[in-house]
Amino acid sequence: MSEAAAAGAGEQLQNLHLDEVTGERVSKTELKKRQKQREREEKKQEKAASAPPKPAAAQKKVSAEEEESHLTPNQYFEIRSRHINKLRASKEPNPYPHKFQVTTDLRDFVRDFEHLKTGEQRRDVELRVGGRIFTKRSSGSKLMFYDIRAQGVKMQVMCQSQEARGEVPFEAQHEHLRRGDIIGILGYPGRTHPKNRAEGELSIFAQEIILLTPCLHQLPTEYYGFKDQEQRYRQRYLDLIMNEGTRNIFITRSKMISYIRSFFDTRDFIEVETPMMNAIAGGATAKPFVTHHNDLDMNLFMRVAPELYLKQLVVGGLERVYELGRQFRNEGIDLTHNPEFTTCEFYMAFADVYDVMEITEDLVSGLVKHITGEYETKFHTQTGEEYIINWQKPWKRIEMIPALEAAVGEKFPPGPELHTEATNEFLKNILKKMKVECSPPQTNARMLDKLVGEFIEETCINPTFITGHPQMMSPLAKYHRQHAGLCERFEVFVAKKEIVNAYTELNDPFDQRLRFEEQARQKAQGDDEAQLVDENFCQSLEFGLPPTGGWGMGIDRLVMFLTDRYSIKEVLAFPFMKDSGAGGATSEKKLAAEEVGVEPMPEEGIPHK
């Protein structure tokens, strides 16, 4: 470094001053700046120290609902049960009032007031609505919002303290309410005027809220929902609360049954009811349930079909009859079979299988159009296949034996020989050739049915009539007027599943007895589904059954197709479920009365009169 540069650096160092707080050497100007800043901070601290202490910041109040959201379902149930039990004792308010007069249907409410503009209110209109709470929101202590559901409609309820009326103060009206509670609402219609968006929401502006029935359990959250299939079937009430789609299935089912009743009623049919318990299980080829009558000390069979009784009514002169009802079959449970199921059967004097075909097309295609608004529907299988089904008439018709011959490449024995032992060997060879399994007993009827299932039913996507059944497969159908050994019968298949079975009824008492005896022979071979001889029915035929067309349709399967559900359990309100364990799934859980220690009141039983 040069002498001049060293001299300049020394001069600069002499002009710097020591900052005693930091130990740094800074310019005189910077040092004064720092000192003044420190003086200001000292004065500020002295002022703060001499000032009175500030009150501690109030913690944000957490709502009771928010605190309860962290509880387990059991904890919530215990706390809620105790709370409601206190209300039962105090009656402030009574958690289970006898009556709340509802005058407003939410479906009508939406239709009548959808036109209201943002901020518009109709204070001159009084609403009285009942519904279940799905969400509860507060905006301070003076403003509450609820989302309720009733009649399949979701509606917002807005509650403001200045609007409250009645004997119960605003806060007391709302403090006991939780998700799932059923409430009564008195108010008027209007549309809200929110600050954060242009359009308001159609709402009920509540003036009074009344607890009608508390829900003691936590509802599943709307985010996760209630999706577990097993639990949905076991707790159908909760399924209906949480899933609008389930509600729509049963509404559709009801509309379908109403349409079917109307269809037959307008055609001079009489709806009748026949016994559910029978001494003989007849009317269909199926394995029955057995029950016992204590007083008579005799076994009875739950009915597998109402056919024999309905035909006896036709013998008696009720020439057009139908019955909608439950059947019971002690068979396997799968996606399309339930031990108890609903059918519709009709019997029409002076008609035959061809008349019944036309009625079937008219009924089903008209029903589909009425329910869906069109003739085409979509159906998805369990594996995700999509079928587009065209229900419009006329439907395709397939002759059974010619179609089987084309499928297996073999000529079948003639109709009169289809029931013989030789045909039995022929069918066993066909099964072996085509690599089709048929569980024992391998009767001719069972093996033919298996081949039809493999090679004909699998081709039926749109509604299809399969006709020309052998007589030995149809013990109650009349012989074919042109083809010996066959009978006048058809089945309708849709998306590979049967929905209808019908035929020209056998009214020859001599032939009927022979058919029943053939069924008895099949039962002796080990076929539990074969029918027994019904002597009373045979005797009724001796009084004369007019030429008659008979028909049966499975209601559940048709509902499955029109609601696009591949499992029969989805369309039955309470499907049969296997026992979930000893004592049932809830055997270890306490009921609300047990939880709070309520003792049952003594009751005296009154004998049945």
Side-chain angles (χ1 to χ4, degrees):
M1 180 184 294
S2 64
E3 291 182 3
E11 187 177 344
Q12 287 179 356
L13 191 61
Q14 288 179 352
N15 292 333
L16 296 178
H17 300 268
L18 178 64
D19 184 341
E20 294 180 352
V21 176
T22 64
E24 298 176 290
R25 298 188 72 85
V26 295
S27 67
K28 185 176 181 181
T29 304
E30 175 64 19
L31 181 60
K32 287 183 177 181
K33 183 178 178 182
R34 291 185 179 186
Q35 288 172 341
K36 288 181 179 180
Q37 176 66 25
R38 288 172 187 143
E39 288 175 4
R40 285 196 296 271
E41 288 178 357
E42 286 177 3
K43 288 180 180 179
K44 189 175 180 180
Q45 290 174 359
E46 289 175 1
K47 186 177 181 181
S50 61
K54 289 184 178 180
Q59 292 185 348
K60 186 179 179 181
K61 187 176 180 181
V62 178
S63 68
E65 291 83 358
E66 192 173 344
E67 289 180 350
E68 292 165 355
S69 67
H70 302 293
L71 298 175
T72 66
N74 284 342
Q75 289 172 333
Y76 182 93
F77 175 67
E78 291 173 12
I79 293 171
R80 181 75 163 146
S81 296
R82 292 193 180 102
H83 177 68
I84 296 301
N85 193 44
K86 290 178 181 177
L87 295 183
R88 289 177 66 243
S90 69
K91 305 295 184 185
E92 295 180 357
N94 178 4
Y96 298 100
H98 288 73
K99 172 73 174 176
F100 176 81
Q101 186 66 43
V102 172
T103 60
T104 307
D105 186 308
L106 281 187
R107 293 166 295 187
D108 298 335
F109 171 79
V110 173
R111 184 194 65 227
D112 295 342
F113 298 104
E114 185 64 34
H115 66 277
L116 293 180
K117 298 177 182 178
T118 296
E120 185 178 357
Q121 299 174 0
R122 290 288 306 278
R123 292 175 179 268
D124 59 311
V125 178
E126 182 184 79
L127 303 177
R128 296 181 68 91
V129 177
R132 187 183 293 272
I133 298 173
F134 269 76
T135 60
K136 177 182 180 182
R137 311 181 300 279
S138 63
S139 181
S141 61
K142 305 298 184 182
L143 179 61
M144 306 288 296
F145 291 93
Y146 296 95
D147 287 331
I148 66 163
R149 287 185 188 171
Q151 294 96 34
V153 177
K154 183 178 179 181
M155 181 57 57
Q156 177 176 271
V157 179
M158 182 175 178
C159 310
Q160 304 172 87
S161 62
Q162 66 267 29
E163 293 283 349
R165 72 181 193 191
E167 299 177 359
V168 183
F170 180 81
E171 292 80 3
Q173 287 184 25
H174 300 277
E175 65 178 339
H176 304 295
L177 304 183
R178 298 292 184 271
R179 285 187 70 229
D181 289 356
I182 298 171
I183 58 174
I185 304 150
L186 287 81
Y188 57 86
R191 192 175 289 275
T192 60
H193 192 187
K195 297 178 181 178
N196 56 352
R197 62 179 188 274
E199 186 175 354
E201 184 173 346
L202 181 64
S203 304
I204 299 170
F205 286 73
Q207 296 169 312
E208 186 176 3
I209 301 284
I210 301 170
L211 174 62
L212 302 180
T213 309
C215 177
L216 303 181
H217 292 271
Q218 277 182 331
L219 288 186
T221 64
E222 288 194 295
Y223 179 80
Y224 290 105
F226 189 53
K227 307 295 184 186
D228 184 271
Q229 279 191 344
E230 178 87 3
Q231 292 304 313
R232 284 179 50 237
Y233 301 150
R234 292 186 185 278
Q235 296 178 279
R236 185 64 90 187
Y237 48 89
L238 186 54
D239 183 24
L240 286 164
I241 290 172
M242 297 301 301
N243 297 311
E244 192 66 23
T246 302
R247 172 190 173 88
N248 292 335
I249 288 172
F250 296 120
I251 290 174
T252 298
R253 182 187 179 105
S254 177
K255 290 178 179 178
M256 291 172 64
I257 291 173
S258 296
Y259 180 92
I260 292 168
R261 278 200 166 98
S262 175
F263 180 91
F264 288 116
D265 290 344
T266 55
R267 287 161 177 78
D268 271 348
F269 282 81
I270 300 170
E271 184 174 8
V272 296
E273 295 172 298
T274 60
M276 291 278 190
M277 296 183 295
N278 308 291
I280 291 177
T285 303
K287 187 175 181 179
F289 284 98
V290 181
T291 186
H292 187 78
H293 193 293
N294 291 333
D295 193 42
L296 298 178
D297 191 23
M298 66 181 290
N299 284 342
L300 295 170
F301 299 100
M302 300 299 291
R303 76 175 180 191
V304 295
E307 177 169 345
L308 303 187
Y309 285 111
L310 292 173
K311 285 196 280 194
Q312 290 178 57
L313 294 176
V314 178
V315 170
L318 298 180
E319 295 169 350
R320 297 187 178 195
V321 295
Y322 76 96
E323 182 173 10
L324 274 157
R326 287 277 179 164
Q327 319 307 329
F328 308 87
R329 298 186 182 179
N330 197 354
E331 300 170 349
I333 300 174
D334 58 28
L335 290 175
T336 58
H337 292 87
N338 194 67
E340 54 178 316
F341 57 98
T342 304
T343 66
C344 177
E345 292 199 16
F346 80 79
Y347 293 84
M348 182 177 178
F350 311 112
D352 65 8
V353 72
Y354 304 106
D355 299 314
V356 175
M357 276 185 173
E358 290 186 16
I359 292 173
T360 303
E361 288 178 325
D362 289 340
L363 168 62
V364 178
S365 62
L367 170 63
V368 173
K369 178 73 172 177
H370 174 75
I371 295 297
T372 68
E374 51 192 333
Y375 289 110
E376 279 195 356
T377 62
K378 289 183 180 179
F379 180 71
H380 296 84
T381 67
Q382 185 185 24
T383 57
E385 294 176 277
E386 180 181 271
Y387 297 138
I388 297 177
I389 303 170
N390 184 354
W391 300 84
Q392 193 165 13
K393 63 177 187 179
W395 297 349
K396 184 179 178 181
R397 304 184 182 195
I398 296 176
E399 289 284 340
M400 180 187 290
I401 299 301
L404 284 179
E405 290 176 339
V408 304
E410 296 277 356
K411 183 70 175 175
F412 275 58
E417 299 176 15
L418 287 174
H419 69 287
T420 63
E421 289 295 333
T423 300
N424 187 276
E425 289 300 318
F426 170 82
L427 292 172
K428 287 178 179 176
N429 291 332
I430 292 293
L431 290 174
K432 186 175 180 181
K433 171 187 173 182
M434 304 306 295
K435 298 180 180 178
V436 175
E437 295 289 332
C438 179
S439 60
Q442 290 186 333
T443 62
N444 295 16
R446 285 173 60 86
M447 288 189 284
L448 268 173
D449 188 60
K450 190 68 177 179
L451 290 170
V452 171
E454 288 288 331
F455 300 111
I456 301 180
E457 294 172 12
E458 287 294 309
T459 67
C460 302
I461 304 303
N462 290 334
T464 304
F465 292 109
I466 298 178
T467 64
H469 296 65
Q471 284 184 356
M472 46 84 179
M473 294 180 71
S474 312
L476 297 168
K478 196 161 188 173
Y479 64 87
H480 202 288
R481 66 193 79 177
Q482 293 175 335
H483 304 292
L486 304 184
C487 61
E488 294 191 353
R489 175 187 176 188
F490 71 78
E491 294 175 290
V492 175
F493 282 82
V494 179
K496 307 179 183 180
K497 301 296 181 184
E498 178 196 350
I499 62 167
V500 173
N501 185 28
Y503 30 82
T504 303
E505 297 298 333
L506 180 60
N507 62 343
D508 180 343
F510 303 96
D511 195 359
Q512 181 64 80
R513 182 168 292 280
L514 293 175
R515 302 279 191 90
F516 275 150
E517 288 175 357
E518 169 61 21
Q519 286 281 298
R521 187 184 70 81
Q522 292 184 18
K523 185 173 281 288
Q525 289 182 334
D527 189 351
D528 292 333
E529 297 180 350
Q531 300 181 48
L532 292 170
V533 179
D534 189 323
E535 292 291 351
N536 192 41
F537 173 68
C538 288
Q539 186 179 42
S540 74
L541 293 186
E542 294 169 0
F543 283 85
L545 173 67
T548 299
W551 175 95
M553 179 172 72
I555 300 297
D556 308 307
R557 286 191 186 174
L558 193 57
V559 176
M560 289 168 61
F561 289 129
L562 297 195
T563 57
D564 193 10
R565 296 296 187 274
Y566 61 78
S567 172
I568 194 172
K569 291 182 178 179
E570 293 285 353
V571 303
L572 298 174
F574 299 99
F576 183 83
M577 302 294 291
K578 187 171 67 173
D579 191 358
S580 59
T586 60
S587 59
E588 295 182 3
K589 294 183 179 179
K590 289 184 178 181
L591 299 176
E594 296 171 327
E595 188 64 55
V596 299
V598 173
E599 294 293 331
M601 295 179 64
E603 292 186 8
E604 293 185 7
I606 301 174
H608 177 70
K609 295 182 180 179

